[in-house]
Every structure is written in C-alpha cells, then in structure tokens.
Amino acid sequence: GPGVWELQEKGVPHLNPKVTPILRAIPTSTHMAVVKLHEAGLSKFTVSQNVDGLHRRSGIPPAELSELHGNTNLETCKKCGRQYLRDFETREAFHVFNHTTSRKCDNPACQGQLQDSIINFGENLPEGELRKAFDNAQKADLCIVLGSSLRVRPACQVPEVVLANGGKVIICNLQKIPQFPSSSRSMQIYSMCDVYMKRVLHELQMDIPKFLLNRRLKITSETTKGMGYIHCKN
C-alpha cells in the first residue's frame, strides 16, 4: 500500500499501533529470500531505501548492498572509514545535520570520531553507495522492485537505468506505479512481497532460510592481587 512518505504528502496521518520498533524487527521472508538468491549467485546486488538495516542484518554481504538512506545501526569512523554495526540506534545528535556520536574508533592507531550513517532530508546521498547502485543497474539484466512506490529520487531511477540499458524490470506492489516508464520489458505484479517471493523461490525449487541472530562476545581476563577477573563485552 501507500508508503510513509506518500501518506505524509497527502496529509494522511500514519498511525499504526501494530508497527514494530526498528530494534525489535527481524528480517522477513522477503529479506531471507533475497539472501538465498544472493547465496545462489542469482542476485548480484541489492539496493535498499530503508534505514532499518534488515537487509544487512539478514546476511547480505556489504559489498553486494547499497543502503542509500543509511542504516540506523551503523556508524563510521570519519578518519579511517571503519564501520561498526551495532545492536542499538547509533544516532545521538539533535541537530539534523550533525551526525557525530559519543564513540571513538577502536583502532588504537586511529581513534577517530564516529558518526551515524542516517541521511536526513536536505542531505546528499553517500556517493559510494549511490555509485555502486547505478554501476550495478547498468549491468543488470533483471531488476525486481519490492514494495517501493518509486517516488523518491534518485533511488527510483535505479530500475529506470536497468530498463534503459536493455534489462527487464518487475515491480511487486499492491498499488499502481503509473509514473514508471511503460515498456514491453517491464511488468507489475499486484501482491504482498512475502507472497510473491515465496512463490519465486518455490518455482526455483529453493527453500527460504530462517533468520538466525548471531552475537559476538569478547572475553578477556586479568589477575589483580591474586584475584582473577573475567570481563565480557558484547
């Protein structure tokens, strides 16, 4: 159905008591189906407009993913570029254009300031993520659009680039997308994403993997005055 931004544009209040907070959300069947297609080598790249980080959390390699609008759980060192994927929301600043967090880079040789990766209105999209998205769009023979209303630029131009370079486009959405260029190489399927992706993997004779949450625990020990201590850090 209509997305948050489309409802906001129409002045329709977006009140849904069933909405799950981002930090409690887990990858859906659609997310895991995309992971399976990556693992099988059928999907080469995924472009996401969401900031919930679920595609990355589901298991898609960062090199095969562009999160155009950022990731609420991801912060990056301004000095060396090292990334840190957290299990909490990294944004702390109140000013819309301030992305500094209270943490520093773990690298002793760097110790640079970390910043969140969220892209707010009025800010440019990250050049690296944008370049990866359009580079892969130019090479793609098929682009599957899942759930997007294709109204937010420049993200909505990715499937247009696929079409312009001779590829095919499939749009899965419950609502009509009249602004997308009409072509014999594009089609729309009116369906829920989970229903559609389950059918796709069924036709490919593939099973959708279950999401497993893996956590890393760092354990260190020290001895002080004959007493032993163990420290655990998540």
Side-chain angles (χ1 to χ4, degrees), residues 26 30 61 91 126 128 136 162 173 222 231 233:
I26 62 173
T30 295
R91 182 161 179 78
N136 280 274
V162 175
N173 201 313
E222 64 175 327
H231 303 276
K233 182 178 180 182

Side-chain angles (χ1 to χ4, degrees), residues 44-60:
K44 304 297 183 181
F45 201 80
T46 293
V47 179
S48 175
Q49 295 174 259
N50 298 326
V51 299
D52 54 29
L54 291 179
H55 279 299
R56 185 155 178 170
R57 201 183 311 174
S58 68
I60 295 178

Side-chain angles (χ1 to χ4, degrees), residues 138-156:
Q138 291 177 350
K139 297 182 290 185
D141 52 16
L142 173 65
C143 174
I144 301 178
V145 180
L146 297 169
S148 175
S149 61
L150 296 178
R151 292 179 180 273
V152 180
R153 291 182 177 271
C156 68

Side-chain angles (χ1 to χ4, degrees), residues 6-233:
E6 186 177 350
L7 290 173
Q8 183 175 330
E9 183 180 313
K10 295 179 179 179
V12 179
H14 182 67
L15 299 175
N16 188 348
K18 296 182 179 180
V19 170
T20 301
I22 287 180
L23 294 181
R24 293 176 57 187
I26 62 173
T28 65
S29 297
T30 295
H31 291 98
M32 299 313 298
V34 174
V35 170
K36 184 65 177 182
L37 294 178
H38 274 262
E39 292 175 346
L42 295 177
S43 180
K44 304 297 183 181
F45 201 80
T46 293
V47 179
S48 175
Q49 295 174 259
N50 298 326
V51 299
D52 54 29
L54 291 179
H55 279 299
R56 185 155 178 170
R57 201 183 311 174
S58 68
I60 295 178
E64 300 175 14
L65 173 67
S66 276
E67 295 176 303
L68 295 183
H69 298 158
N71 183 329
T72 190
N73 301 120
L74 185 69
E75 53 186 344
T76 305
C77 177
K78 296 172 64 175
K79 188 175 180 180
C80 71
R82 184 174 182 180
Q83 294 185 332
Y84 296 84
L85 188 62
R86 311 296 193 184
D87 59 358
F88 53 85
E89 290 189 36
T90 60
R91 182 161 179 78
E92 299 173 339
F94 290 101
H95 192 280
V96 66
F97 297 128
N98 180 12
H99 295 277
T100 302
T101 70
S102 60
R103 291 166 290 279
K104 301 282 187 178
C105 182
D106 288 344
N107 184 352
C110 177
Q111 296 186 329
Q113 181 67 53
L114 300 187
Q115 60 183 7
D116 69 67
S117 62
I118 295 299
I119 305 300
N120 295 309
F121 283 108
E123 294 184 307
N124 294 326
L125 270 61
E127 292 184 8
E129 298 296 295
L130 201 58
R131 183 172 57 253
K132 287 194 302 181
F134 281 99
D135 284 350
N136 280 274
Q138 291 177 350
K139 297 182 290 185
D141 52 16
L142 173 65
C143 174
I144 301 178
V145 180
L146 297 169
S148 175
S149 61
L150 296 178
R151 292 179 180 273
V152 180
R153 291 182 177 271
C156 68
Q157 294 173 294
V158 171
E160 293 178 7
V161 171
V162 175
L163 201 64
N165 282 270
K168 299 178 181 179
V169 175
I170 297 175
I171 301 173
C172 176
N173 201 313
L174 290 175
Q175 62 177 327
K176 293 182 178 180
I177 313 295
Q179 73 276 13
F180 192 77
S182 177
S183 171
S184 60
R185 289 180 284 105
S186 67
M187 67 179 297
Q188 180 168 356
I189 296 175
Y190 299 94
S191 170
M192 298 288 287
C193 292
D194 281 353
V195 174
Y196 171 66
M197 291 305 293
K198 287 178 181 178
R199 182 63 182 269
V200 169
L201 263 69
H202 175 75
E203 293 297 323
L204 293 173
Q205 298 183 341
M206 293 180 178
D207 294 325
I208 298 178
K210 292 184 178 180
F211 171 68
L212 297 176
L213 178 61
N214 295 315
R215 293 188 180 275
R216 295 178 180 177
L217 192 65
K218 183 179 180 180
I219 301 178
T220 58
S221 63
E222 64 175 327
T223 302
T224 304
K225 297 181 179 180
M227 300 293 291
Y229 298 90
I230 296 179
H231 303 276
C232 297
K233 182 178 180 182

